[in-house]
Amino acid sequence: MHVDDAIRSRKSVRRFLPDPVSRDTLAHIIEVAGRAPSGNNIQPWQVHVVAGEALHRLSAAILAAFDSGEEHQPEYTYYPTQWFEPYRERRQRCGYGLYETLGIRREDKARRHEQMRRNFLFFDAPVAMIVTIDRRLETGSYMDAGMLIQSLMTAARGQGLHTCAQAALAWYHRIIRAQLGLADSELVLCAIAVGHEAPEAPENHFITEREPVENVATFHGFETD
C-alpha cells in the first residue's frame, strides 16, 4: 500500500470483527512505527499490546468503574476547559455526525451513554495497544509520542488492518496501571483499538471531514501564478 493510500484510508473504526491479529503482525507494526522521529532519538514511548483474556479483564474492570459512575480523571489535559471557534464547531460537527449516522437523537441520553460505553469494549477489537510516555519528560516528548501513534495507525493500514485512537482510556489510567502492572514512571496517553473493520457497521461509514489546504497552510516565499 502506498503511504498516501495508507494515510488517506485511515479512519476511526468503531466496530471491529472478532478475527484475531497475530503477535507477529503486531510486532511488525510496532517495529515499523518505531521509525517515528523523536528529539535526540530518545524514543520516550512504551506500547502495551493487550489481547485475549487480558483484554477481557481490562475491559471488564474499566466498564465496572464507568457503570458505577466513579470519578476518574486523566493525568494530562487533552481538551481546553472552554471551547472556542473554529474548534467548537469542528468538534460538534464530528460528534453530531457520528450520532446522526447511528440514528441517535441529541436528546437520547441513554443511547449516547451506551455509545460512549463502547469505548471501553474497545469497539469489539481483538487487540488494544496502550501507549504510555515517561512522565518525567516534557512537552516535546508528547509531540514525539503523537508521531508514534500516527505511525502505528498507518503501519496497521499497511497490514490491511484498521484502528481507532481512544483518548477516553486515559481517564482510567489507575485501572490500566493495576491491570497491566505499569511502572510508576509511565503515564497513560491513550489506547488504540486494532483489528479488522466490520464493513457493514454504519458507524464505520462515517468519515470526518478535513479542512482544505488553504485553511491550514500558509506558503511563504513562493511566486504567485
Side-chain angles (χ1 to χ4, degrees):
M1 185 182 294
H2 190 281
V3 65
D4 285 9
D5 296 327
I7 293 171
R8 290 181 185 277
S9 64
R10 187 213 62 79
K11 60 183 179 179
S12 294
V13 163
R14 294 182 175 88
R15 189 175 296 275
F16 291 86
L17 297 173
D19 304 5
V21 180
S22 74
R23 177 172 175 160
D24 286 349
T25 298
L26 294 161
H28 174 81
I29 289 169
I30 295 168
E31 178 189 12
V32 171
R35 295 302 306 175
S38 59
N40 287 312
N41 196 36
I42 66 171
Q43 303 167 70
W45 48 69
Q46 288 287 317
V47 183
H48 298 266
V49 187
V50 193
E53 284 304 313
L55 183 59
H56 293 318
R57 288 193 300 269
L58 177 61
S59 178
I62 295 172
L63 283 171
F66 178 75
D67 291 341
S68 73
E70 291 177 7
E71 184 72 20
H72 288 259
Q73 293 294 331
E75 294 189 274
Y76 68 97
T77 302
Y78 194 105
Y79 294 112
T81 55
Q82 294 291 328
W83 287 98
F84 50 93
E85 300 303 345
Y87 313 109
R88 178 191 292 110
E89 190 271 336
R90 291 176 187 170
R91 175 175 180 259
Q92 290 176 342
R93 193 164 67 231
C94 176
Y96 293 157
L98 175 61
Y99 290 138
E100 183 178 358
T101 299
L102 289 166
I104 300 175
R105 300 188 306 276
R106 296 183 188 181
E107 65 274 15
D108 192 340
K109 294 182 179 179
R111 287 193 65 194
R112 289 165 67 100
H113 179 85
E114 187 59 30
Q115 182 60 31
M116 180 62 185
R117 192 177 188 274
R118 283 190 48 73
N119 272 282
F120 311 119
L121 291 165
F122 299 95
F123 300 114
D124 306 321
V127 178
M129 294 181 178
I130 307 297
V131 181
T132 70
I133 190 173
D134 192 313
R135 68 175 67 253
R136 296 167 292 184
L137 298 172
E138 295 293 345
T139 306
S141 291
Y142 285 79
M143 296 167 58
D144 299 340
M147 289 185 277
L148 174 80
I149 292 165
Q150 169 73 2
S151 297
L152 288 167
M153 295 188 289
T154 303
R157 288 300 301 126
Q159 298 299 307
L161 299 170
H162 274 285
T163 57
C164 186
Q166 299 178 268
L169 273 295
W171 267 252
Y172 295 92
H173 59 91
R174 287 181 294 170
I175 294 172
I176 294 171
R177 183 174 309 284
Q179 288 283 319
L180 303 185
L182 302 187
D184 291 342
S185 60
E186 291 185 78
L187 184 150
V188 174
L189 287 178
C190 70
I192 305 174
V194 184
H196 297 275
E197 175 187 12
E200 303 306 318
E203 55 265 55
N204 292 339
H205 294 274
F206 172 64
I207 308 297
T208 52
E209 302 170 351
R210 292 295 184 271
E211 292 295 313
V213 171
E214 58 268 24
N215 284 6
V216 298
T218 304
F219 294 87
H220 302 270
F222 293 86
E223 293 182 3
T224 57
D225 294 334

